Amino acid sequence: MILHILTKAPDSIVATQMQQAIGGQDAVLLIEEAVTAALDPSWQAWQQCQSRIFLLSEDLISRGLASIATDNELPTLEMDGFVALTEQYEKTVTWY
Amino acid sequence: MSETKIYRYLDSQNMYPLDPEGYLVNQSQWDESVARLMAEEEGLMLTAEHWEVIKVVRAFYQRYEMAPAMRPLVKATKNALGEEKGRSIYLMQLFPGSPAKRIARLAGLPKPTNCL
Amino acid sequence: MATPDALLVIIRHATHSSNWLREGLDAALVAAAFGQPVHLLFMGQGIMALLKEQGSGAPGQKATLPTIDMLEMYDIDKLWVAEEALQGMHLSADSLVEGITLIADQEIPGLLQQHTQILNF
């Protein structure tokens, strides 16, 4: 079980590489540039990971994307949720 | 990367500058007499057994452009000089302390980068 | 196929674009120097590091190929290459150095799961 942390935009090569590496039990946290995924509910990773993919609130807010994420009904996580997630998964792999 | 900062000289004529860790600043200055001077300074008497290992390390550097850490040093020695000598204990006896670092210095190479 | 406590180092960046490749290889070498089993996975542009005909690059820049050749001296002998990425770059395994192993995209998640530690460069 791996927690993947994506820091680059959902249409980047980095995102594609991460998507290739996600296993069935893995979770994904979208931070930094990756929170622009809030704009695209049709992004394939949303389906691929279903209930185990989250946007980091802090980075959404700083980019003015928080209400869009809410409108698109996409799951978000606060900083403490992030910490809890890293504790829950045995490994973390950051994609930057 | 070779350290370009000169810290001191190996010889009294100030011909061979050394970096703060005692490695040769100008690798091209290396020859057997330089190695002997360095060894003397360390209180080491270079024998045929020392020289063949120094040559192994120089050949390693020529091929891979890096001085070997201990593990690859043992492997390279084993490949070149056989099982008997390709052991860390043998290299430790010849170059007590940190063989990888000491041999790189004596061979006129930069400090092994992956070696702590 | 994986050693239980092996470290997986993922290399995704090409030689000349940044320091990522160099740092990834250095991390692999340091871990191996300490006796840690290390496996490498090359994805995307990282595959370029394995081209056997690559030259030495800009003056003062360290060439990559000698370091790749050196990996076996550090007992790093598992070099996985993402097969679809290789094809996507219009390269064949013949243009890469000896001793690589191709891995299909769908096997990549499994490879990651098998390693207790992963460093991503």
Side-chain angles (χ1 to χ4, degrees), chain A residues 58-87:
Chain A
E58 200 175 280
D59 290 346
L60 279 173
I61 293 164
S62 68
R63 283 168 180 74
L65 297 170
S67 58
I68 294 176
T70 313
D71 293 345
N72 286 333
E73 296 176 346
L74 296 170
T76 61
L77 215 55
E78 306 291 328
M79 228 15 164
D80 52 353
F82 179 4
V83 174
L85 209 57
T86 57
E87 283 166 356

Side-chain angles (χ1 to χ4, degrees), chain B residues 65-66 69 71-72 75 116, chain C residues 22 32 34 62 72 74-75:
Chain B
E65 301 179 6
M66 255 190 247
R71 199 180 175 80
K75 195 163 178 168
L116 303 176
Chain C
R22 195 78 238 163
F34 279 95
K62 231 180 173 67
E72 62 161 328
Y74 281 75
D75 295 319

Side-chain angles (χ1 to χ4, degrees), chain A residues 2-6 18 22 26-30 43 49 52-55 85:
Chain A
I2 299 173
L3 171 64
H4 298 270
I5 299 176
L6 181 65
M18 177 196 72
I22 298 173
D26 294 356
V28 175
L29 181 69
L30 305 167
W43 183 40
C49 306
R52 298 180 320 281
I53 179 166
F54 310 92
L55 295 152
L85 209 57

